[in-house]
Amino acid sequence: MKTLPIDADQEEIKNLVVEWNELLAQEKYEEALELILHDDTQKIDGKTWVWTPQKLEAAVFTYGLPWFTKADIKRLYGADSRVDYKVTSILNRPDKEKWLETIDIYIYDYAISPEMARTWGITGLDYENIIGDVLFGNVPLDGKASDLSALFWIVKVDEKNITLIFRELHVM
């Protein structure tokens, strides 16, 4: 897991998101999950959702529906439904700065209360160490902006370091 100093600025946090995106663009899903933490506490259909490299890949190729296989998508949404989306690298693009602008970072100037944690659906995480969140809108797919967004928590690992917790990829 990669950490940043507790006083990391927005550029450093954005760079970590870009590093994660680049691993997805290279289809290195396991490495993307190892780079930062991931939220394995959410419930879907009454079962605890645990991120795996296969589920992260499915979240990409199904456009944010990782609980479906390619066959499920075609059966449910039609034989002509796309199931081959790929994340695109943004590092070497001439419009890299435009993409960086789609990464919104919010550092909280308050502590998350137990009531806020319940409202936000934070049930299995140490919400007291969550100090912000990141919304990476328009995740680049197949060379274009998409309406797929990646959500992260910013969390203190200890008194000197922070990292991100990947929450989900979904359509905004």
Side-chain angles (χ1 to χ4, degrees):
M1 168 184 61
K2 185 170 187 172
T3 61
L4 300 172
I6 194 84
D7 60 351
D9 61 23
Q10 292 208 0
E11 184 175 335
E12 290 172 289
I13 295 169
K14 282 184 181 188
N15 287 340
L16 185 53
V17 173
V18 170
E19 187 174 347
W20 179 83
N21 182 82
E22 294 306 301
L23 289 169
L24 295 186
Q26 297 167 33
E27 299 184 42
K28 294 181 177 181
Y29 302 103
E30 184 171 348
E31 290 89 340
L33 289 173
E34 291 172 353
L35 178 67
I36 57 176
L37 298 173
H38 40 92
D39 184 356
D40 290 337
T41 67
Q42 299 177 60
K43 300 277 186 193
I44 297 180
D45 295 331
K47 296 180 182 175
T48 302
W49 182 261
V50 176
W51 282 105
T52 64
Q54 295 78 19
K55 288 178 180 176
L56 182 56
E57 179 181 18
V60 172
F61 69 66
T62 63
Y63 210 84
L65 302 170
W67 44 89
F68 290 134
T69 64
K70 292 178 180 183
D72 291 335
I73 295 291
K74 295 215 174 261
R75 181 175 37 78
L76 292 167
Y77 300 106
D80 61 340
S81 296
R82 259 194 86 187
V83 291
D84 61 349
Y85 292 97
K86 300 284 185 203
V87 172
T88 305
S89 172
I90 61 176
L91 274 182
N92 299 317
R93 295 179 61 103
D95 58 351
K96 175 184 171 185
E97 293 306 313
K98 177 186 90 168
W99 290 99
L100 293 176
E101 290 173 10
T102 68
I103 303 173
D104 295 319
I105 299 168
Y106 306 96
I107 304 295
Y108 306 148
D109 57 358
Y110 52 84
I112 297 175
S113 69
E115 295 79 24
M116 291 169 72
R118 277 192 298 278
T119 300
W120 293 355
I122 306 171
T123 57
L125 294 176
D126 179 11
Y127 65 85
E128 292 173 344
N129 283 315
I130 295 174
I131 61 168
D133 62 69
V134 177
L135 170 63
F136 178 21
N138 307 111
V139 171
L141 296 178
D142 302 326
K144 301 178 210 154
S146 72
D147 54 359
L148 193 65
S149 296
L151 302 175
F152 305 88
W153 295 117
I154 303 169
V155 63
K156 286 193 314 186
V157 175
D158 55 40
E159 292 306 312
K160 295 182 180 182
N161 298 289
I162 62 171
T163 195
L164 300 177
I165 297 177
F166 168 64
R167 295 167 52 198
E168 64 182 329
L169 276 172
H170 75 268
V171 175
M172 290 296 276

